[in-house]
Amino acid sequence: MDSRIFFLVLQLFVFYLTNASSEKCLKNSNQPDCKSSTMTPYRFVANYNDSQLQFAGCTEKKIWLMIRHGTRLPAVKFIKPMTEILPDIQKQIIKNYQNGKSKLSAGFIEKLERWTINLKEAEAMNLAEEGQNELIDLAERMQARLPKLFTDDYEKNLFRFKYTATQRTELSAKSFVMGLFGQHQSKKVVFEQPEKKDPILRFYKKCKKWQKEVHDNPKTQKERDLFIQSNYVQKVVKDVSKQIGLKLDYAHVRLIYMICGFETAFNRAENSPWCDLLSINNLNVLEYAEDLKYYWKDSYGYKLNYEQACPALHDMFTFFDKEDETLVTAYFSHSGTILKILSILGIAQDEKVLTHDTFPINSSRNWRSSLIDAFASNIAFVLYDCDKQGPSILVLHQERPTQIPGCPEEGLCPVSIMKDIFPAAAKDCKFDVVCEN
């Protein structure tokens, strides 16, 4: 076969896989690739329909985005056990198979024998290549949907970009502008100076009450800890231990779960062999343990989690109210920011609180970190000027129009209604009072 034809076929095949994978977690989230919590790659939840967002009698005026960084490497606290403990477990699994102490397949053992790990602590939390691709692709789709706002040519007065003081958000931001303007023009883009405790992009870093009462409080993880002690989790530990012929504890099984998630995110061509040790039932349980962690630390578990997110919404309203040339405000932040903003908006909220003993009745819950907080997750507000209802807002989550409680069920939400629901004015956003700063 001619090499050019081969590469064309390969590109089409990859395009097909990417687009097919983007739909599967929405059509059927009860699949292994849809259970990795905040380690889920964005390609499994992205919206690949990039048709223009048009509403009769309305013209788009501005857009405000908050974007989580793309797929990254694990944190230092996980790299060390991944590089030291997993290779030991790998050797023991292979040895037990050879000695007839496990019933694993020969195919799995062959995959596991080829497995190697090359993570360095110096690169912990850095953006992976997949993360760069996620942000480039996201930018291209947003530009296709809203070409009047995301212009092809960069003009400083039209765009405002800012990231936090981390490598993963900086490179995410630079990948995003690469997707908008191309390699040459993206070098001209001016970014605002990053801050370690940014009052908009990472407001929770400045909330003393939250740091003390939630983040640093062991009670925040009470529900997750109780669930880990439950029969559901202990059965998973026993199942995996029995498979490999080696007694593990929850920390070991969680490490397998995490390397499965990260390596699936890094590699589009082949899933991690470690994923083969976890059944869909195992993954449902392990995902719920992660969901309990984030639900209580960053979401609906405590009112303080989302009350402190008002500076972000206030910033959005202020941007929309300004009569200046800026068309786009794009921020590049973190999981904690995304989850708190989703919660103040009332997105993915369930009738019942997530607790350690509600796992059986929460199988179809809305609050699923795998779907709402994957790598490169994003929230966007698009301002329109409409002939009949005046200034109105479209809310997008994961690039999809999302209905906000209190707003009309279909179409755009008038700015006047949004301002009645959420803290729009400075006097309504009492951040220092809420945070007891």
Side-chain angles (χ1 to χ4, degrees), residues 300-370:
Y300 295 109
Y302 294 106
K303 197 174 180 181
L304 177 59
N305 288 339
Y306 53 87
E307 278 189 333
Q308 61 172 312
C310 68
L313 295 187
H314 174 55
D315 184 83
M316 178 268 295
F317 284 120
T318 301
F319 170 55
F320 285 172
D321 287 342
K322 278 185 180 178
E323 294 184 4
D324 60 8
E325 294 181 291
T326 310
L327 299 176
V328 176
T329 290
Y331 294 133
F332 301 85
S333 189
H334 304 267
S335 170
T337 307
I338 294 292
L339 291 176
K340 293 175 183 67
I341 294 177
L342 288 177
S343 301
I344 198 173
L345 293 172
I347 294 174
Q349 187 172 16
D350 294 285
E351 290 185 10
K352 293 188 178 294
V353 174
L354 267 63
T355 61
H356 71 280
D357 55 356
T358 57
F359 172 66
I361 62 173
N362 274 321
S363 59
S364 59
R365 63 191 179 278
N366 297 318
W367 208 96
R368 289 269 312 280
S369 56
S370 303

Side-chain angles (χ1 to χ4, degrees), residues 26-54:
L26 298 172
K27 292 180 178 178
N28 177 15
S29 63
N30 199 38
Q31 300 182 68
D33 287 341
C34 310
K35 301 290 180 181
S36 294
S37 185
T38 58
M39 300 168 289
T40 303
Y42 191 64
R43 64 182 182 270
F44 294 154
V45 299
N47 179 13
Y48 283 83
N49 179 357
D50 60 1
S51 303
Q52 286 193 37
L53 293 169
Q54 297 178 320

Side-chain angles (χ1 to χ4, degrees), residues 16-17 35 81 126 164 187 201 213 246 281 285 343 366 414:
Y16 168 78
L17 287 178
K35 301 290 180 181
N126 281 359
T164 64
K187 294 177 182 178
L201 282 73
E213 296 187 4
L246 180 66
N281 290 332
V285 172
S343 301
N366 297 318

Side-chain angles (χ1 to χ4, degrees), residues 175-240:
S175 299
F176 187 84
V177 301
M178 174 82 76
L180 290 180
F181 309 116
Q183 187 170 4
H184 178 67
Q185 282 205 72
S186 63
K187 294 177 182 178
K188 303 176 184 177
V189 173
V190 176
F191 296 93
E192 293 188 15
Q193 187 66 28
E195 303 175 59
K196 286 188 177 180
K197 295 184 178 181
D198 192 292
I200 307 300
L201 282 73
R202 237 175 176 181
F203 45 81
Y204 50 93
K205 293 287 185 179
K206 297 177 73 70
C207 186
K208 294 177 182 177
K209 185 178 181 181
W210 180 80
Q211 292 286 338
K212 179 182 178 181
E213 296 187 4
V214 180
H215 186 268
D216 297 332
N217 187 352
K219 291 182 180 179
T220 299
Q221 295 305 323
K222 176 186 174 183
E223 294 299 330
R224 177 174 174 263
D225 293 342
L226 288 171
F227 185 64
I228 290 170
Q229 297 166 23
S230 72
N231 290 334
Y232 295 107
V233 174
Q234 295 310 310
K235 184 179 183 303
V236 171
V237 173
K238 289 178 182 177
D239 286 349
V240 179

